[in-house]
Amino acid sequence: MNKTLVRIFSVILFLAFALGGLCACSDKSLLDPSDPVTLTVWHVYGEQADAPMNLLIKEFNETVGREKGIRVQVTNVTSTSKIQAQLLDAQAGKPGAPELPDLFSCHTQNAQAFGIENLLDWSQWFAEKELDNYVPEFIESGVIEEKLVVFPVSKSTYALFVNGSQFARFSADTGVTYESLSDWDSFFAAAEKYYEWSGGSAFCALDYLIRHMELDILSRYGKLEYTENGWYDENDPAIKESFSMFAEALAKGHIVVSDLYANTQVMTGEVLSGIGSSAAVGYYNDTVTYPDNTSEAMELKVLPLPRTGGENEYMPQTGVGLCAFKTTDQKAEAAYEFVRWFTEGERNLDFVVSTGYMPVTNGAFEAIEDYDFDDAGYESLYTAIKTMYDEYVPVVRPDFAGFYDKTNALYAGLRKMQPSLAERAENGESIAALTEELWEFFCSID
């Protein structure tokens, strides 16, 4: 099934339960400009007063909000790691907890904790034609129990970040180009050349190695199944085949699992490149400082994820959306008006460009090509994002209890093992044996 068919199928699935939805615009409005309704919101988009989210809320209040009788008030700015616990405390009425907001940032996998019956079904307010403007996979990712309870306002993905200044020298000496990094086979060949050219430095640090294994399997086999405890079946040959592709490069010292986030190792010249969240673009400095204390301009170049070469290529979609607690129809209408305004075309693009996130409407993606970027690194990122939007299928991985504890244990173990691997290979141990050792450690995680 090609990408177009995948997207059409996603839309059909979603519309199957949305057909009966109501559209606020077809009903008599419950809003009154002479008696504005207030919506409180908790979000995770930066604590500073001039954060893009806050500035857009201010703009809404002064324009459409004033015209329609809606005032949006930010009552808590927090983080994705804290907001769920804070909301649950407020919902339970714990002493000292603030009042529940009307709107809040939320991951889809966390929404059930608040009771789906307590959350607004956005498909009862957005018309079918309106929803057609959004990336269908992003809409589908917010559906629980056939209700659209998490509305996409931004998404993040992964990308390949490269120190452009160092790469230019490497390219001039070896003939490796950015195009050489477009698929995994060529990527690993380039990594080997860099290891030799640099005298033994790793080419790339990966933040989420296991996710690339998943995407590789999806591309080559079309599906990925998990065990009952939410991990990987070590008896599935596809698992070993894909993991071993990355493990072999680890064993050779050509790639590493990042210390935490790859941008730090790129900025210190420890590696030439890093694969991590698109949102990491804001953490890359304009300069890179090498271990010998010399420095130069970073000239950041960002590329799409390497391709596997299967029938479809896949890209991760991550990030929070907006949920609304059910209260009154008037507040529901107000929430609809705000979210619709917030996610409109270039306005949504303006918001996400400052953060490294992806926009959520098809029109905003199309506008990337003509967007006036202030920074070449950001322009490079959004060119890569647009390529993936056009040619890759966005996917969300299932959420299983304890999954991240297992991946953290896996990465911690690989970090501990990787410093000695290249040295052992240089001393005569076979790459095949070292790769098998990494596989056996993978199998020990359960």
Side-chain angles (χ1 to χ4, degrees), residues 233-247:
D233 182 2
E234 63 191 66
N235 296 313
D236 182 347
I239 301 292
K240 183 173 185 179
E241 180 184 354
S242 185
F243 178 81
S244 296
M245 177 176 70
F246 294 97

Side-chain angles (χ1 to χ4, degrees), residues 412-427:
L414 293 176
R415 289 188 194 102
K416 186 175 181 180
M417 298 169 71
Q418 65 191 13
S420 66
L421 292 172
E423 182 180 350
R424 291 168 61 188
E426 293 285 344
N427 290 336

Side-chain angles (χ1 to χ4, degrees), residues 259-285:
D259 291 340
L260 183 58
Y261 296 114
N263 58 286
T264 300
Q265 286 160 277
V266 177
M267 291 188 299
T268 57
E270 182 181 338
V271 295
L272 179 63
S273 62
I275 300 181
S277 170
S278 57
V281 68
Y283 297 93
Y284 276 87
N285 294 336

Side-chain angles (χ1 to χ4, degrees), residues 29-107:
S29 176
L30 301 173
L31 301 173
D32 181 358
S34 65
D35 185 19
V37 60
T38 296
L39 293 177
T40 55
V41 60
W42 291 8
H43 72 77
V44 295
Y45 293 105
E47 296 184 4
Q48 57 271 50
D50 61 349
M53 180 75 162
N54 292 344
L55 291 178
L56 279 172
I57 288 173
K58 181 180 178 182
E59 180 184 343
F60 174 83
N61 287 338
E62 294 175 349
T63 56
V64 174
R66 179 176 296 170
E67 174 189 336
K68 292 182 176 293
I70 307 166
R71 177 169 181 78
V72 180
Q73 180 181 358
V74 177
T75 54
N76 186 19
V77 180
T78 181
S79 67
T80 54
S81 62
K82 295 177 180 178
I83 192 168
Q84 183 182 15
Q86 294 172 344
L87 286 162
L88 288 172
D89 285 349
Q91 192 176 37
K94 286 192 175 181
E99 186 176 347
L100 271 178
D102 297 301
L103 291 166
F104 61 95
S105 298
C106 188
H107 284 107

Side-chain angles (χ1 to χ4, degrees), residues 370-436:
D370 299 320
Y371 194 84
D372 186 16
F373 291 91
D374 295 330
D375 180 274
Y378 278 76
E379 183 173 7
S380 180
L381 169 64
Y382 281 90
T383 299
I385 284 175
K386 178 62 164 57
T387 296
M388 290 192 286
Y389 164 79
D390 288 338
E391 302 174 11
Y392 295 45
V393 178
V395 290
V396 179
R397 72 166 320 281
D399 186 62
F400 301 108
F403 176 82
Y404 293 106
D405 291 336
K406 293 172 184 176
T407 56
N408 289 339
L410 175 66
Y411 295 154
L414 293 176
R415 289 188 194 102
K416 186 175 181 180
M417 298 169 71
Q418 65 191 13
S420 66
L421 292 172
E423 182 180 350
R424 291 168 61 188
E426 293 285 344
N427 290 336
E429 292 190 52
S430 75
I431 296 299
L434 293 172
T435 301
E436 185 66 21

Side-chain angles (χ1 to χ4, degrees), residues 8-21 126-129 131-132 139:
I8 292 172
F9 184 64
S10 297
V11 172
I12 291 171
L13 282 177
F14 176 75
L15 293 182
F17 65 82
L19 283 172
F126 279 83
E128 295 167 38
K129 289 185 178 179
L131 291 175
D132 286 344
I139 291 290

